[in-house]
Amino acid sequence: MSDEDQDFLEVNPDSTWLEKTTIGGFRVWHIIAICLGIIMSIIIMVCCCVRFRIPRTKQEIEADYQRKQITKKFREKLQQIKNSEMDDMDLQKAIEYILSNYLIKQCNSVESLDKDPNKLKNNHISVIDNIKV
């Protein structure tokens, strides 16, 4: 054997404690590796299974709430479309359909306001401007 092979086979006195046999014939470094593996597995499982709350700003929370309300109203309007009309329906056509129904109702409410101006106090008309789909 050469000198390099003998140097490689010699045990460093500083790391001899890692090679001591302990519980069940395992060495110290085996026990350390097993413990670290178990701890990492537990951490990974907890992170994957538990949903942590991510802090958000007040604006983000209000915007999410507004999106949910709009989505809820849109779903309600989609439920009013007949099943026979849904065969060739896509998002664009559904939006156009709901918008046309909305505009028809607005025209009817404006006509009824022309007949009875006192209804203006109780009737709120919202205007849709610059709709780009």
Side-chain angles (χ1 to χ4, degrees), residues 20-118:
K20 288 183 183 176
T21 305
T22 58
I23 304 168
F26 290 108
R27 297 191 173 164
V28 174
W29 68 270
H30 290 146
I31 303 294
I32 292 172
I34 291 170
C35 290
L36 288 176
I38 291 171
I39 290 171
M40 282 182 46
S41 298
I42 292 171
I43 290 172
I44 290 170
M45 289 176 68
V46 166
C47 289
C48 291
C49 296
V50 177
R51 185 175 179 162
F52 292 100
R53 185 183 174 276
I54 299 171
R56 301 180 299 165
T57 64
K58 184 178 177 182
Q59 289 177 335
E60 290 173 338
I61 294 170
E62 290 174 352
D64 286 345
Y65 176 76
Q66 189 67 27
R67 283 186 197 96
K68 287 178 186 177
Q69 294 301 315
I70 291 170
T71 304
K72 181 180 174 185
K73 289 178 184 176
F74 186 70
R75 281 191 195 128
E76 290 172 1
K77 296 296 181 182
L78 282 178
Q79 293 297 325
Q80 295 174 359
I81 298 175
K82 297 176 185 172
N83 291 340
S84 60
E85 295 174 355
M86 291 300 290
D87 292 338
D88 62 336
M89 190 71 65
D90 62 355
L91 180 62
Q92 179 71 30
K93 291 178 184 176
I95 292 173
E96 290 172 2
Y97 180 84
I98 292 172
L99 180 62
S100 66
N101 285 344
Y102 174 77
L103 292 176
I104 289 170
K105 287 180 183 179
Q106 290 299 319
C107 289
N108 291 339
S109 65
V110 169
E111 289 174 3
S112 66
L113 284 177
D114 290 341
K115 294 177 184 176
D116 188 10
N118 293 331

